[in-house]
Amino acid sequence: MKIKGCVALVTGSNRGIGRAFVEALIARGAKKVYATARDPAKLKNLEAAHPDKIRVLTLDITKPAQIAAAASQAGDVNLLINNAGINRKKGLIAAPVLADARDEMETNYFGTLSVCRAFAPILRHNGGGTIVNVLSIIARVSLPAYGSLCASKAAGLLMTQGIRAELTKQHTKVVAVMPGAVDTDMERDFNGPKEKPSDVANASLQAVEDETEEVYPGGMAQGVSQGLAADPKAVEREFAAYLPR
Ligand SMILES: NC(=O)c1ccc[n+]([C@@H]2O[C@H](COP(=O)([O-])OP(=O)(O)OC[C@H]3O[C@@H](n4cnc5c(N)ncnc54)[C@H](OP(=O)(O)O)[C@@H]3O)[C@@H](O)[C@H]2O)c1
């Protein structure tokens, strides 16, 4: 599909990669973008910059009533971008309680799945369209310092594969985006190299146009992906050094 002329909905679009998605969609000629956020007041500046293109919706992806309301107001969507996510930065054993692991699963897995389920009939009605799920390179190998986050993103990757298969007959494409570290609030304290959010958004939108099913934006993600193809156990051992503090 072409981004020019598309009608997109982006979750978690008030900051970080989500905001970059909205800006990249508009720069590439999208007809309309539903910019969604838990707090729509945080989208005022974005809306003011592109009042003819942006429609603001309230959407917490863990709240079924808000998902249903968004679906009823955005029936013309043909590109769904599931970007919203959380990272509680906890180990699996080191975490004192399970609450953070459950929250990550609730948002990153069940929240994203719920949005996919609500919008699948809309995409079918609009000719098929595309779903983009923003996952992470650590969906494919565990970084123990973020062990429960990795499990939620790995669940998201298998969900993405399953949805791709189920929606093939309605001509909906499903793209998994797996970046390394990106320069947003989420990785504010990480001092290593980070990708620009705009580069992640643009690589993802290019993948939509090219019908690429898995995209690895940036050098870190591409290097890890190549390492996994060559010797997955060696990559697992390398990542095993990054333990929870
Ligand atoms: N930054 C990285 O290094 C990196 C790497 C790989 C993948 N990712 C993924 O990229 C996506 C975007 O992350 P980011 O880096 O842009 O992080 P961010 O700056 O922390 O932004 C996260 C966004 O998700 C929203 N969000 C969180 N929970 C939500 C919920 N229940 N319902 C709706 N929106 C919710 C946040 O809204 P509020 O402002 O209301 O909190 C915010 O808009 C995430 O899925 C993340 O896992 C990030």
Side-chain angles (χ1 to χ4, degrees):
M1 73 177 283
K2 292 278 168 238
I3 302 304
K4 190 172 169 57
C6 80
V7 178
L9 183 142
V10 183
T11 65
S13 63
N14 51 300
R15 59 195 171 103
I17 299 170
R19 191 179 183 92
F21 263 113
V22 174
E23 286 165 347
L25 282 158
I26 288 170
R28 285 169 169 252
K31 186 165 95 183
K32 190 196 289 184
V33 182
Y34 292 99
T36 77
R38 295 195 274 204
D39 178 359
K42 293 181 177 162
L43 292 165
K44 284 241 161 14
N45 291 347
L46 205 51
E47 187 186 25
H50 309 282
D52 51 329
K53 300 265 186 176
I54 291 183
R55 300 286 175 275
V56 168
L57 296 178
T58 302
L59 180 56
D60 181 327
I61 66 167
T62 65
K63 299 216 156 74
Q66 291 189 10
I67 295 173
S72 73
Q73 291 170 83
D76 51 354
V77 164
N78 64 354
L79 175 58
L80 169 64
I81 298 180
N82 286 306
N83 161 78
I86 58 170
N87 180 0
R88 293 285 168 77
K89 304 184 179 179
K90 294 275 166 40
L92 290 159
I93 302 299
V97 292
L98 276 179
D100 290 310
R102 287 192 201 281
D103 285 350
E104 286 167 335
M105 210 49 103
E106 201 57 50
T107 301
N108 300 342
Y109 176 65
F110 287 111
T112 302
L113 174 57
S114 301
V115 177
C116 288
R117 287 166 56 86
F119 278 87
I122 291 171
L123 295 171
R124 183 182 66 229
H125 183 258
N126 296 328
T130 302
I131 297 172
V132 173
N133 290 336
V134 181
L135 305 171
S136 172
I137 190 62
I138 51 177
R140 296 200 49 210
V141 57
S142 184
L143 184 76
Y146 297 172
S148 55
L149 175 274
C150 295
S152 74
K153 292 291 187 180
L157 179 56
L158 270 286
M159 171 187 76
T160 300
Q161 289 178 8
I163 289 174
R164 182 181 297 128
E166 282 194 59
L167 298 187
T168 297
K169 60 181 182 301
Q170 70 170 47
H171 310 295
T172 300
K173 307 288 183 199
V174 187
V175 177
V177 180
M178 290 180 272
V182 185
D183 193 6
T184 67
D185 294 343
M186 194 176 274
E187 285 302 323
R188 199 188 298 115
D189 300 333
F190 176 68
N191 292 321
K194 292 184 259 197
E195 303 304 324
K196 287 197 286 187
S198 57
D199 288 346
V200 174
N202 276 302
S204 306
L205 297 181
Q206 194 58 47
V208 170
E209 294 205 331
D210 297 344
E211 299 190 0
T212 306
E213 293 182 347
E214 294 184 354
V215 55
Y216 297 93
M220 182 195 287
Q222 278 166 29
V224 175
S225 164
Q226 284 160 10
L228 287 167
D231 188 347
K233 279 289 169 190
V235 180
E236 181 185 331
R237 283 192 295 272
E238 185 188 335
F239 274 57
Y242 298 94
L243 291 167
R245 285 196 199 142

